[in-house]
Amino acid sequence: GDSVTQMEGPVTLSEEAFLTINCTYTATGYPSLFWYVQYPGEGLQLLLKATKADDKGSNKGFEATYRKETTSFHLEKGSVQVSDSAVYFCALRGLRGSNYKLTFGKGTLLTVNP
Amino acid sequence: DTEVTQTPKHLVMGMTNKKSLKCEQHMGHRAMYWYKQKAKKPPELMFVYSYEKLSINESVPSRFSPECPNSSLLNLHLHALQPEDSALYLCASSLAGAYNEQFFGPGTRLTVL
């Protein structure tokens, strides 16, 4: 079945540091890939998405590229801020039949210190 | 309107109570979802409605009963819950189709005493 593996946290960085959160997946065909962010006490917000190989999703300074050859979708940001502190989930949506199911990674807690 | 709204924000109930969670969206989405999220875990899918019909039930106990009265509303009826059902319940919606992202509401924090 489909699965997503993302790097275990927690990740602690200083403000303006470079961020990478690794995400790899297993799925048949060409799934859609997503990064969601969850701030404390809130629901999930879509951060970015990519629907085909070599697509780059970007939003709010975050980027991720859909790499079919390495089955990866790593999240990066050049300079993190304290306000980026949150839990980040990598997810995929498979293409089997009418299954709309999102498969999530376990989540990575990011803490950014001033 | 690009929001999914959920009410109530917090709910405390006893094991013999009956309560309902409500979710609403006005984005014209025809797929709606219920997820359960325990602390420090990713969301777990419970139910999927597509065009107001239940299309996926992830083997959820019958004490959880979903309802989709129209294309904008999704309810989750709760009865005889257990303390281990305490969690954040998230509603989401999306356009139908495999490539479309799901938009999540803020959730209802449920505590079962």
Side-chain angles (χ1 to χ4, degrees), chain B residues 45-61:
Chain B
L45 183 67
M46 300 174 71
F47 302 103
V48 179
Y49 273 83
S50 178
Y51 292 92
E52 295 89 70
K53 287 186 171 37
L54 184 65
S55 63
I56 295 177
N57 176 339
E58 292 282 306
S59 304
V60 179

Side-chain angles (χ1 to χ4, degrees), chain B residues 9 14 21 23 25-27 33 36 39 46 58 78 81 83 99 110:
Chain B
K9 192 171 175 60
L21 310 184
C23 172
Q25 58 87 14
H26 295 286
M27 294 180 278
Y33 314 77
K36 174 183 178 180
M46 300 174 71
E58 292 282 306
L78 315 172
L81 294 193
Y99 293 105
L110 174 67

Side-chain angles (χ1 to χ4, degrees), chain A residues 5-101:
Chain A
T5 302
Q6 65 180 101
M7 65 187 278
E8 298 279 336
V11 174
T12 302
L13 296 173
S14 297
E15 209 165 22
E16 299 184 4
F18 185 86
L19 169 71
T20 299
I21 301 177
N22 290 337
C23 172
T24 56
Y25 68 89
T26 302
T28 54
Y30 290 85
S32 297
L33 301 174
F34 307 91
W35 276 101
Y36 283 88
V37 58
Q38 187 172 32
Y39 298 101
E42 297 185 12
L44 275 68
Q45 297 178 24
L46 178 68
L47 185 57
L48 50 85
K49 72 171 186 178
T51 58
K52 61 183 188 296
D54 299 325
D55 262 3
K56 177 186 279 189
S58 61
N59 185 26
K60 300 180 181 179
F62 291 90
E63 292 183 342
T65 300
Y66 190 145
R67 301 284 188 202
K68 181 67 176 174
E69 64 276 11
T70 55
T71 61
S72 65
F73 192 54
H74 304 320
L75 182 69
E76 296 182 336
K77 186 176 186 183
S79 176
V80 293
Q81 305 300 311
V82 172
S83 57
D84 294 326
S85 298
V87 179
Y88 292 81
F89 292 99
C90 184
L92 72 80
R93 185 169 177 178
L95 302 178
R96 292 184 190 164
S98 62
N99 185 347
Y100 296 115
K101 185 174 180 176

Side-chain angles (χ1 to χ4, degrees), chain B residues 17-35:
Chain B
N17 292 158
K18 286 185 181 181
K19 297 286 185 184
S20 296
L21 310 184
K22 180 180 172 182
C23 172
E24 194 165 3
Q25 58 87 14
H26 295 286
M27 294 180 278
H29 292 170
R30 303 307 295 273
M32 296 186 76
Y33 314 77
W34 280 115
Y35 288 85

